[in-house]
Amino acid sequence: MYLKGTMSAITLPFLVYAAREGYGWVNGCTVPIALREQLRRTAGKMPDFDMQGAPGTCGVVNVGEWVLAYRFMRQIAGDSRGRDCAYLAMSYVKASEAGEINADALLLEPLFKTPQKTPPDTIAYAGGKGPGTAWQVPSQSGCGMFDARGSLSAACGAVGGVTEGTLRISRSEPEDGRGSRFEYVKKTEPQSPVVRKPGRETVVSGPDETAVRGKAQGCPWRLVGLLVIWALLLGVLIGRLLPWLGVLIGRSLT
């Protein structure tokens, strides 16, 4: 969904999620809903602009094979009843082509700066290739400073090179003096249960441990069940013998 145009401009998909008759998709019906929802969830939670001091945000994050650029804004009188609402604008590109995009230039396009009542499904980008950066992806999960000036110009290229986790580079708007920040979550390998056999005893770590304990505790419960059955049978037998015992005792007394 990365469509090259002329030498000076390219066409990218453009998606908007905002309130009209409740929150929902305003455009992008040609994009599969599963992909739209995946992009929306990855962009993050819609800010509550009714709370005093709640900032807007913009950023870049990898989503599978894609690199997503997004901006959360406030749309004045955006819904059907004339109320203000949060407005999420997004565009995305193949990770292998993300270095061709300067995120700051993309986010300065009019469609990313001003909320639209009826936004188009594509955006024309003519901001040129993103600059390189000496910043390196951390070896472990963490967060910190990406650019002290708050720039996102090299963010698409940095995010597009990530294959072992999720990298988000973002900034608050208006600028809060903290620059642009990164959050990196490294992908971890799934761990299978570990089975140890000290001597003849088998110790199972993980979910299987409960099953082993359940089997070990099954025998006492079976014994209790058998005892209860025998007690019931004995009670029935005694109940049937009691009348005969009464007759015998009565005859012996006479």
Side-chain angles (χ1 to χ4, degrees), residues 173-195:
E173 297 183 321
E175 170 63 43
D176 60 0
R178 299 176 67 233
S180 55
R181 312 283 296 178
F182 76 87
E183 300 173 27
Y184 177 59
V185 180
K186 186 174 182 179
K187 182 167 58 179
T188 57
E189 295 296 332
Q191 296 182 354
S192 58
V194 178
V195 180

Side-chain angles (χ1 to χ4, degrees), residues 85-217:
C85 67
Y87 181 101
L88 171 59
M90 298 182 290
S91 186
Y92 58 99
V93 65
K94 285 278 190 180
S96 59
E97 300 171 329
E100 300 297 318
I101 305 297
N102 180 322
D104 275 338
L106 177 61
L107 293 170
L108 285 174
E109 293 289 340
L111 289 178
F112 266 107
K113 292 180 65 178
T114 305
Q116 309 287 315
K117 280 288 186 181
T118 54
D121 291 336
T122 60
I123 182 172
Y125 171 74
K129 186 175 181 178
T133 177
W135 184 85
Q136 298 292 324
V137 177
S139 59
Q140 300 295 331
S141 298
C143 58
M145 178 74 68
F146 178 74
D147 188 292
R149 301 166 300 169
S151 174
L152 296 175
S153 59
C156 287
V159 170
V162 172
T163 58
E164 296 299 324
T166 301
L167 174 63
R168 181 190 305 273
I169 301 174
S170 62
R171 65 169 177 248
S172 295
E173 297 183 321
E175 170 63 43
D176 60 0
R178 299 176 67 233
S180 55
R181 312 283 296 178
F182 76 87
E183 300 173 27
Y184 177 59
V185 180
K186 186 174 182 179
K187 182 167 58 179
T188 57
E189 295 296 332
Q191 296 182 354
S192 58
V194 178
V195 180
R196 300 184 300 273
K197 295 183 178 180
R200 295 184 179 179
E201 182 183 2
T202 301
V203 180
V204 181
S205 299
D208 291 338
E209 187 174 358
T210 303
V212 171
R213 290 179 179 176
K215 290 180 181 179
Q217 294 173 357

